[in-house]
Amino acid sequence: MRREPIVLFDNGSHQCLMFDDLVSGEGVQSNQFLITDNEQYLLLDPGGDLTYTPLSLELSKHIPVQDLTYIFASHQDPDIIASLDKWLLHTRARVICSKLWARFLPHLTANYLVLSRGINTFDRIIALPDRGQSIPLGKCSLKAVPAHFLHSVGNFQVYDPVSKILFSGDMGASLVDDATPVRDFVNHVPNMEGFHRRYMAGNKACRLWAAMVRQMDVAMIVPQHGRPFVGPEMISAFLYWIENLECGLDLMGPEDYQLPK
């Protein structure tokens, strides 16, 4: 039996929920997030077929799913937005994503949406400029903040000024079946290191991102996979670690670009 979503924040009119146990089988553990404010709703990185049915059922316990206001896609990966056609069909939500992926997302939707339902995918997309923008939700304003090349060329995260949560997508992800806050950073590093070294594009992007986050009022960094970082000590430890990490192109050499034998 599935447990209730984790309540990250709730002040009565503004709520942030995390669903962390919806993936079954061989899929990578992932977290899905719902932000609500005064009867408007934003769903972050809803995933693919593995999560669509259980997620929509869980959402229906908290909101009228057909009235979903936005779906936010941090980037284009299957575990982020592969279930797009189902959300377009069953909700009125508009899809927020980088302008670099706005013309690619229709490839994830079936042609019957246009032919039989008159649903044009591109008309439902809000294409973000590279520097991001504000997203009105209820009586608050969320921020789509740039995280380009971490790991996608067009990558965004959501910052919620009300809860002071940065929903960081793949940045900070850990490959564990656990969504409890990190308590021992040093022992947590092995759960993140291999993923970040391979998937993040390079140290320059990591340093630029960390500098941006330090200028923000962040109480919690919550990635799409694994465990969140809560409080100044854990957040500072993660920012220091990531801005000093060699990754991606930093690690590549001639031996990585050779004709296979």
Side-chain angles (χ1 to χ4, degrees):
M1 184 174 181
R2 298 194 186 282
R3 62 177 177 266
E4 289 294 307
I6 296 170
V7 179
L8 300 174
F9 181 87
D10 189 354
N11 68 2
S13 61
H14 187 94
Q15 188 178 56
C16 302
L17 300 179
M18 177 168 73
F19 304 86
D20 71 311
D21 67 338
L22 302 182
V23 176
S24 58
E26 299 299 318
V28 174
Q29 183 275 346
S30 65
N31 305 317
Q32 295 79 39
F33 306 98
L34 177 70
I35 304 175
T36 73
D37 191 284
N38 290 277
E39 299 184 351
Q40 289 198 346
Y41 319 102
L42 183 144
L43 179 63
L44 284 82
D45 293 343
D49 282 344
L50 280 176
T51 53
Y52 172 75
T53 297
L55 178 58
S56 59
L57 289 173
E58 290 300 314
L59 288 176
S60 68
K61 300 175 183 178
H62 302 274
I63 66 170
V65 176
Q66 69 276 8
D67 292 337
L68 195 63
T69 313
Y70 303 112
I71 290 171
F72 185 90
S74 59
H75 56 292
Q76 79 290 352
D77 279 1
D79 64 319
I80 298 296
I81 196 62
S83 58
L84 175 62
D85 56 346
K86 296 181 176 64
W87 294 107
L88 291 177
L89 180 61
H90 297 295
T91 78
R92 291 188 283 272
R94 299 192 69 188
V95 181
I96 304 170
C97 70
S98 166
K99 66 178 184 179
L100 298 183
W101 301 119
R103 285 289 182 184
F104 289 86
L105 289 190
H107 286 276
L108 297 175
T109 60
N111 201 36
Y112 77 88
L113 289 179
V114 174
L115 296 179
S116 64
R117 298 301 181 96
I119 298 173
N120 186 310
T121 303
F122 194 70
D123 289 345
R124 298 270 294 272
I125 290 176
I126 298 173
L128 295 171
D130 281 343
R131 292 190 176 182
Q133 67 182 46
S134 295
I135 304 168
L137 185 76
K139 295 181 179 180
C140 77
S141 181
L142 306 177
K143 307 295 180 182
V145 297
H148 305 311
F149 298 100
L150 300 170
H151 63 96
S152 171
V153 297
N155 200 92
F156 283 94
Q157 300 168 348
V158 170
Y159 174 64
D160 177 3
V162 180
S163 65
K164 300 181 181 180
I165 297 174
L166 176 61
F167 296 93
S168 61
D170 281 328
M171 179 56 84
S174 52
L175 303 182
V176 295
D177 292 325
D178 184 0
T180 61
V182 175
R183 303 296 184 195
D184 184 336
F185 186 81
V186 172
N187 283 331
H188 184 61
V189 166
N191 299 321
M192 303 186 292
E193 192 165 20
F195 174 81
H196 284 76
R197 286 189 183 278
R198 178 62 180 181
Y199 280 83
M200 301 304 158
N203 179 256
K204 180 179 179 179
C206 294
R207 285 186 285 110
L208 290 169
W209 179 83
M212 175 188 71
V213 175
R214 283 200 171 93
Q215 301 303 311
M216 299 162 59
D217 186 6
V218 177
M220 193 182 307
I221 295 177
V222 186
Q224 193 218 356
H225 306 283
R227 306 177 69 183
F229 305 93
V230 179
E233 181 181 352
M234 287 300 116
I235 291 173
S236 294
F238 176 68
L239 294 179
Y240 179 82
W241 178 77
I242 196 65
E243 70 186 355
N244 288 282
L245 184 72
E246 287 191 328
C247 54
L249 290 173
D250 306 323
L251 305 176
M252 290 292 180
E255 65 277 8
D256 298 300
Y257 292 87
Q258 294 188 24
L259 187 68
K261 295 180 180 179

